[in-house]
Amino acid sequence: MTDHAQHGGCACGAVRYTLTRPAMFTHCCHCTQCQALTGSAFVLNAIIENDAIELQAGTLIETPGPTESGGVHQIYRCSVCHTAMWSDYGGRPNYRFVRVGTLDAPSAQPPDVHIFTRSKLDWVNIPEGQAAFEVFYDLESTWPAASLARRKLALAK
């Protein structure tokens, strides 16, 4: 583990994990599917390489979930309480979208960008100066160069 290690777990405590590197990028997604899947106004997902997630305790089950684009993504849940821990989107299991709310210190992982703001609830206010997009964004011009390089390495695995 490094100085950047973050720890997290599910609602019942059966699953515990460690993120051994900082996230590449963090989305605050306001799409209607994320709203329905979480029962909330949005979801925060920290994007990180699969090999940077160390499962310390517990068992995960995979469940399919819909996406705004009509595709399917795999949701990894605690086998006991079914808390959604992370997802794969678009058939890329070499990096995961970790639910920031499962981190022990979720406030340490603020969003880099708000996406699918076209379906943002009216009472949700995006902070001034925060990057926000009606749907999605151009990865190359939005992500930091170091994160793009990490993503490229992850995709090559």
Side-chain angles (χ1 to χ4, degrees), residues 2 4 7-8 11 14 16 26 42 46 49 53 58 67 70 74-75 85 94-95 104 121-122 126 145 147 154:
T2 68
H4 303 290
H7 307 281
R16 295 294 302 159
T26 300
F42 51 81
E49 300 92 328
I53 305 170
T67 64
Q74 288 304 113
I75 305 168
M85 306 303 297
N94 34 13
Y95 59 88
D104 293 346
L121 300 181
D122 292 340
I126 297 173
S147 294

Side-chain angles (χ1 to χ4, degrees), residues 70-93:
V72 175
H73 73 285
Q74 288 304 113
I75 305 168
Y76 296 79
R77 300 177 179 277
C78 168
S79 64
V80 178
C81 69
H82 296 216
T83 297
M85 306 303 297
W86 50 77
S87 291
D88 292 340
Y89 286 92
R92 292 182 293 265

Side-chain angles (χ1 to χ4, degrees), residues 8-20:
C10 65
C12 76
V15 169
R16 295 294 302 159
Y17 69 88
T18 300
L19 302 181
T20 61

Side-chain angles (χ1 to χ4, degrees), residues 6 17 19 21-29 43-50 53 85-87 89 95-103 106 108-112 143 150:
Q6 293 186 70
Y17 69 88
L19 302 181
R21 291 190 285 278
M24 293 185 285
F25 207 69
T26 300
H27 290 164
C28 182
C29 185
V43 68
L44 288 169
N45 285 313
I47 305 167
I48 192 165
E49 300 92 328
N50 190 36
I53 305 170
M85 306 303 297
W86 50 77
S87 291
Y89 286 92
Y95 59 88
R96 308 270 191 225
F97 291 68
V98 175
R99 301 300 189 276
V100 170
T102 67
L103 291 169
Q109 193 64 57
D112 293 301
W143 280 36
R150 286 174 55 192

